[in-house]
Amino acid sequence: MACGAGNCQSGCFRDDDHSVVTEKKKLTNGTLSSGSDLDLPNHHNLCLKCKVNETLASSGTVSVDGDIGRFCFDCFRGNLFGKFKLAVTSNAMISPTDNILVAFSGGPSSRVALQFVHEMQHKAQKNFDASRDRSLPVFGVGVAFVDESAVSRIPSDEFDRAIQDMKSIVSNLAPPEKAFHVVPIESVYSSNGRDRLEELLNAVKDVTGKEDLLQHLRMLSLQKNAYENGYTKLLLGSCTSRIACHVISATVKGQGYSLPADIQYVDARWEIPVVLPLRDCLAQELNMLCRLDGLKTMEVLNSPHSGINGLVASFVTLLQEENPSRECTIVRTAGKLTPFHFNQIPESDDSNAHLASRRRQKKFNLKPNESVPPQSYCPICNSPLSKSDHLILSSLGSDQTNADIFGAACCPSCQFQILPKEPASMEHFYSLLPQQFVVQAKDRSSSMQRQLREQIQDFLLSDSEDGT
Amino acid sequence: MGEAEVKPKKAGPVQCSICSQRRAALKRPKTLEQICRECFYAVFEEEIHRVIVDNQLFKPGERIAIGASGGKDSTVLAYVLSELNRRHNYGLDLFLLSVDEGITGYRDDSLETVKRNEIQYGLPLKVVSYKDLYGWTMDEIVKMIGLKNNCTFCGVFRRQALDRGAAMLKVDKLATGHNADDIAETVLLNILRGDIARLSRCTSIITGEDGPIPRCKPFKYTYEKEIVMYAYFKRLDYFSTECIYSPNAYRGFAREFIKDLERIRLLPLTLFQQ
């Protein structure tokens, strides 16, 4: 394959003895360039990594194409867990004093995330029990499922069964015990949630906008649940494939400025920081793991995407089929964009944590983030606003309604696809928003007004304020 | 080209929303405004003029080569540039520069169109061919390398060919007809392929300032649909077939996706037309 010359010096052995060729190739770089010309039973079917067990491909569980088939099950699983562990440790995602809330959708990615977090916690517990001084506590883990039955059309018996399955999954992942929270998405409202939610979503005409708004509400409800129940981190199972789709859809929706914020390992702009330990795992691998390891998933709860998100999902699937490294390439490309200052776990005052993070910084050659924090964020999607978006807000006159001020505080993408265009509809929409969105916007605009006033304070002749 | 024209609704004629005098003949793809043909020409040309001025694309006295393939983008570019040159006194010397890649059944036909453009617009034409410059036609190259990745070869050769042609004409700049859709595809393509270097350059309206011939894209913000509309209403002479090798291009993925995307986000337009 690599050469046809008889006197090649590259170290490959174009012998008649194929088995020697295989051995040499595996020893040099561990990657077989193609299985087609080395189709013998014995050596071809050994795991690339441990060279002891049979590969998944040869045991018939996986098709021969693709890299997954070249490992044995243990090494395949170990590789995935290794990626998870590396992401957790190098980004300081989980510290001993943390209380982690795992967002579980019932799908394969979050199922694997839940499983791996449990295994980490279980191990920490065993170490704790075995240690003499018991100095480092074991982090806590809870599980949250966002119940969207108010807005979707799943038959209630299927739904109840799925919830029961989830409950039993969580109770089997013990010790240590984990709380299971069913978080209704209408809980973003303090009262009359279901009706208000339905009205709110109906006020959004754009299909993609509606889907994205629902996504923001989902995060809001998870944040609320995490905060109220004393969790310190929110863990999502977002994998490479999902992030690749987000890169493309954010690009076509004109959200390029805020894109780096959403695709890093850590997103600490939220009240409860969000971490993505499965960022380096492909959906295909996670699906495979669930299948092979008997991890139960509930797909009935996940409705397919529509609008732009659906189009992007099928586009990326098509590209991935054409070239299996496409999703990685997309994420790697977007990874070259400069992240924001909040894409790191903030340094805490805890001296233990500080030492550990300093060691980690040294080991992984991380630099402290020196970027300037953005001045404001969109009240709906929380994306950082660029300077030019920011200016529009500060140029508002004093006779604007609260709804107008809110609208001006939103990012261009939300303005385009979520907010209604007619002023009357906008007023109505504003009245339907959950309190949290409204409060954030008010805070921002009044702080901006204050900042401007401070700059010109010395030159103002009267003390009276323009009503904001 | 029926899709470019919107027939007035049966309920009664709509007035042009700009001049309010003439009957609206079309809905503008960019803004969805219902306007008459004359106002469409006016806004189309005015927007190009604004792009040229705001981005300082040209200086008076410069010799400019227009990359002319005979397709709609370069034909409209040649037409509009010479019109704006006259109207706003840019003071430019305009030339048509065409590249013959040696693709039978495609390039030989489109070159006839460019030769007609030379006469129609009164702009001197220069044709450079791969065969003369490199000793190879694209047909010969494809026979050698097969149907995959030939766009890459052609792209590299064409850039060189344009540089050489521009040098032969002794021009200061090269203007190409790349439109907003092209650039959107290129951005997407570079994300997919991880070409960070190209990604950071590809949206610039002027490129190659440190090279032999700077290039600019006056149509950077112009929608492909509007270019088609302009060419259609003005009955401009252009060649509308795709390169015979293009079905195999990776760009095809991006193009399909963007066409599908336009169907989603331009939905109100389609519904209105129905």
Side-chain angles (χ1 to χ4, degrees):
Chain A
M1 194 66 190
C3 74
N7 53 358
C8 155
Q9 299 291 320
S10 71
C12 78
F13 285 65
R14 290 295 281 180
D15 280 343
D16 289 307
D17 187 355
H18 287 280
S19 54
V20 178
V21 178
T22 345
E23 282 307 308
K24 285 279 176 222
K25 273 197 169 158
K26 278 204 304 239
L27 285 170
T28 43
N29 61 6
T31 351
L32 291 167
S33 48
S34 153
S36 56
D37 52 358
L38 302 161
D39 248 337
L40 288 182
N42 1 9
H43 297 269
H44 175 48
N45 296 330
L46 284 186
C47 168
L48 273 186
K49 198 158 181 230
C50 64
K51 302 176 190 26
V52 171
N53 301 323
E54 236 191 7
T55 62
L56 291 169
S58 56
S59 58
T61 34
V62 178
S63 65
V64 181
D65 306 327
D67 288 334
I68 293 181
R70 299 206 173 104
F71 291 113
C72 66
F73 174 71
D74 291 329
C75 290
F76 167 67
R77 192 187 207 280
N79 176 257
L80 280 181
F81 189 78
K83 289 201 259 201
F84 171 84
K85 196 116 196 288
L86 184 62
V88 169
T89 47
S90 58
N91 294 283
M93 289 185 184
I94 301 179
S95 67
T97 50
D98 269 326
N99 210 1
I100 312 285
L101 183 62
V102 178
F104 181 40
S105 66
S109 304
S110 53
R111 180 66 186 88
V112 174
L114 181 55
Q115 186 70 28
F116 284 174
V117 170
H118 163 69
E119 288 176 15
M120 257 188 94
Q121 190 196 31
H122 187 74
K123 178 142 191 269
Q125 183 69 55
K126 278 168 77 176
N127 292 343
F128 179 79
D129 294 338
S131 76
R132 266 189 294 161
D133 58 359
R134 310 238 159 145
S135 56
L136 280 182
V138 180
F139 62 92
V141 175
V143 184
F145 168 72
V146 180
D147 164 11
E148 292 175 37
S149 50
V151 297
S152 65
R153 306 202 185 305
I154 305 164
S156 58
D157 54 338
E158 270 186 55
F159 184 79
D160 292 336
R161 218 177 313 136
I163 298 286
Q164 282 309 110
D165 287 342
M166 286 188 194
K167 278 204 176 114
S168 67
I169 289 175
V170 175
S171 60
N172 285 336
L173 289 175
E177 296 244 330
K178 298 163 183 48
F180 178 58
H181 310 265
V182 177
V183 183
I185 194 163
E186 60 267 27
S187 65
V188 296
Y189 293 104
S190 39
S191 66
N192 203 14
R194 284 181 88 111
D195 294 333
R196 290 179 76 186
L197 182 63
E198 197 178 324
E199 250 195 284
L200 179 72
L201 290 175
N202 285 338
V204 180
K205 299 304 167 205
D206 186 286
V207 172
T208 309
K210 197 189 297 241
E211 221 179 76
D212 286 354
L213 179 59
L214 196 55
Q215 171 67 26
H216 305 318
L217 292 171
R218 201 176 289 141
M219 175 58 83
L220 196 61
S221 61
L222 283 169
Q223 286 284 320
K224 194 164 181 229
N225 183 264
Y227 180 74
E228 287 171 356
N229 290 294
Y231 291 100
T232 53
K233 299 261 170 56
L234 179 61
L235 192 145
L236 304 181
S238 306
C239 61
T240 306
S241 316
R242 180 179 288 264
I243 294 176
C245 289
H246 183 70
V247 170
I248 305 286
S249 52
T251 303
V252 304
K253 289 173 193 167
Q255 295 164 343
Y257 179 78
S258 60
L259 174 59
D262 309 322
I263 60 167
Q264 310 300 328
Y265 290 103
V266 173
D267 182 357
R269 65 191 133 145
W270 303 94
E271 183 82 48
I272 310 294
V274 176
V275 296
L276 275 44
L278 292 181
R279 184 182 180 265
D280 300 317
C281 304
L282 297 175
Q284 189 196 20
E285 299 176 306
L286 299 173
N287 271 318
M288 183 64 57
L289 183 62
C290 287
R291 194 158 71 83
L292 297 177
D293 211 9
L295 300 178
K296 189 151 198 237
T297 57
M298 284 107 252
E299 291 287 11
V300 67
L301 301 160
N302 294 321
S303 47
H305 294 298
S306 51
I308 292 184
N309 301 325
L311 177 64
V312 170
S314 38
F315 179 53
V316 173
T317 304
L318 177 68
L319 294 176
Q320 181 73 0
E321 278 164 15
E322 187 265 342
N323 183 332
S325 42
R326 192 59 68 200
E327 285 168 350
C328 287
T329 306
I330 294 173
V331 175
R332 200 181 330 125
T333 309
K336 300 277 197 261
L337 295 167
T338 313
F340 291 87
H341 76 291
F342 50 70
N343 287 117
Q344 274 182 316
I345 296 288
E347 300 286 347
S348 66
D349 292 326
D350 182 7
S351 55
N352 277 337
H354 206 235
L355 253 176
S357 77
R358 262 211 299 244
R359 252 184 285 128
R360 171 181 48 92
Q361 280 199 333
K362 242 186 141 182
K363 178 177 179 191
F364 294 103
N365 204 22
L366 296 171
K367 292 182 199 59
N369 203 310
E370 289 153 355
S371 49
V372 179
Q375 283 179 283
S376 59
Y377 300 81
C378 172
I380 294 183
C381 64
N382 210 17
S383 45
L385 298 178
S386 67
K387 271 224 191 77
S388 45
D389 302 325
H390 183 73
L391 278 171
I392 297 170
L393 179 57
S394 47
S395 70
L396 287 176
S398 57
D399 56 343
Q400 305 284 344
T401 65
N402 283 334
D404 293 326
I405 296 173
F406 178 86
C410 289
C411 69
S413 176
C414 286
Q415 283 173 356
F416 180 80
Q417 66 172 16
I418 293 180
L419 301 183
K421 306 281 184 284
E422 306 291 308
S425 320
M426 179 62 205
E427 288 292 335
H428 180 59
F429 180 82
Y430 179 71
S431 69
L432 292 168
L433 287 169
Q435 199 53 30
Q436 218 132 331
F437 286 162
V438 170
V439 164
Q440 280 169 15
K442 274 217 178 96
D443 280 347
R444 247 161 249 150
S445 90
S446 62
S447 90
M448 195 118 40
Q449 194 66 351
R450 236 180 301 121
Q451 278 176 35
L452 290 176
R453 193 189 163 80
E454 273 164 19
Q455 288 179 40
I456 55 166
Q457 187 68 50
D458 294 340
F459 299 93
L460 291 175
L461 293 176
S462 90
D463 279 338
S464 63
E465 265 281 22
D466 279 325
T468 312
Chain B
M1 287 306 153
E3 85 234 358
E5 191 174 21
V6 174
K7 297 184 178 51
K9 279 167 117 164
K10 292 241 166 71
V14 183
Q15 291 303 94
C16 168
S17 57
I18 297 181
C19 68
S20 308
Q21 290 170 2
R22 290 172 284 261
R23 190 154 17 138
L26 57 100
K27 196 161 186 172
R28 226 201 129 177
K30 197 171 201 170
T31 57
L32 305 182
E33 291 167 306
Q34 297 172 57
I35 55 180
C36 65
R37 285 156 53 143
E38 289 78 8
C39 287
F40 174 62
Y41 300 151
V43 296
F44 183 83
E45 291 158 6
E46 178 58 25
E47 278 176 18
I48 309 286
H49 172 62
R50 283 261 60 87
V51 166
I52 291 174
V53 169
D54 293 345
N55 293 279
Q56 296 163 355
L57 296 188
F58 307 121
K59 286 201 279 289
E62 279 183 331
R63 292 163 67 92
I64 308 292
I66 301 173
S69 62
K72 56 171 169 36
D73 298 327
S74 49
T75 298
V76 173
L77 181 61
Y79 180 89
V80 172
L81 256 191
S82 45
E83 176 55 36
L84 292 178
N85 192 28
R86 249 191 309 272
R87 189 185 299 168
H88 296 281
N89 298 317
Y90 291 163
L92 305 174
D93 265 333
L94 298 175
F95 300 86
L96 293 176
L97 177 56
S98 201
V99 176
D100 177 8
E101 306 97 338
I103 301 177
T104 20
Y106 170 67
R107 192 45 85 201
D108 34 2
D109 289 336
S110 68
L111 276 179
E112 292 307 311
T113 312
V114 186
K115 289 192 186 124
R116 287 199 298 277
N117 290 157
E118 178 183 26
I119 301 168
Q120 288 156 354
Y121 306 151
L123 302 174
L125 165 69
K126 173 135 193 70
V127 181
V128 288
S129 79
Y130 283 9
K131 190 71 186 173
D132 291 338
L133 289 174
Y134 314 121
W136 287 81
T137 64
M138 265 320 286
D139 286 342
E140 288 164 0
I141 293 174
V142 172
K143 265 204 205 80
M144 189 65 77
I145 64 167
L147 287 169
K148 242 190 164 180
N149 294 328
N150 31 18
C151 288
T152 308
F153 281 80
C154 192
V156 172
F157 284 157
R158 179 171 317 109
R159 283 179 187 84
Q160 248 278 329
L162 285 173
D163 282 346
R164 302 251 218 128
M168 286 186 230
L169 283 171
K170 297 200 205 334
V171 295
D172 304 296
K173 278 195 186 97
L174 184 64
T176 52
H178 290 98
N179 58 49
D181 297 55
D182 292 329
I183 297 186
E185 285 166 24
T186 305
V187 169
L188 199 52
L189 219 49
N190 288 331
I191 293 177
L192 297 181
R193 291 179 136 173
D195 198 333
I196 314 288
R198 285 215 169 90
L199 192 56
S200 59
R201 296 192 305 253
C202 66
T203 54
S204 304
I205 197 169
I206 302 177
T207 52
E209 279 165 304
D210 48 349
I213 302 280
R215 294 135 184 267
C216 65
K217 305 179 172 74
F219 282 170
K220 181 187 169 195
Y221 300 101
T222 318
Y223 285 28
E224 187 168 16
K225 267 206 172 80
E226 298 211 339
I227 294 177
V228 173
M229 236 180 203
Y230 189 88
Y232 171 72
F233 281 122
K234 286 254 177 182
R235 303 197 201 294
L236 296 180
D237 184 3
Y238 68 92
F239 183 70
S240 65
T241 305
E242 289 207 327
C243 174
I244 55 177
Y245 297 123
S246 65
N248 306 295
Y250 197 68
R251 184 174 279 263
F253 283 112
R255 182 165 284 237
E256 267 311 301
F257 172 69
I258 291 192
K259 292 268 172 292
D260 291 336
L261 196 60
E262 283 189 311
R263 252 170 254 138
I264 295 181
R265 271 265 144 106
L266 283 180
L267 208 49
L269 172 65
T270 327
L271 284 176
F272 174 84
Q273 282 179 321
Q274 277 165 10

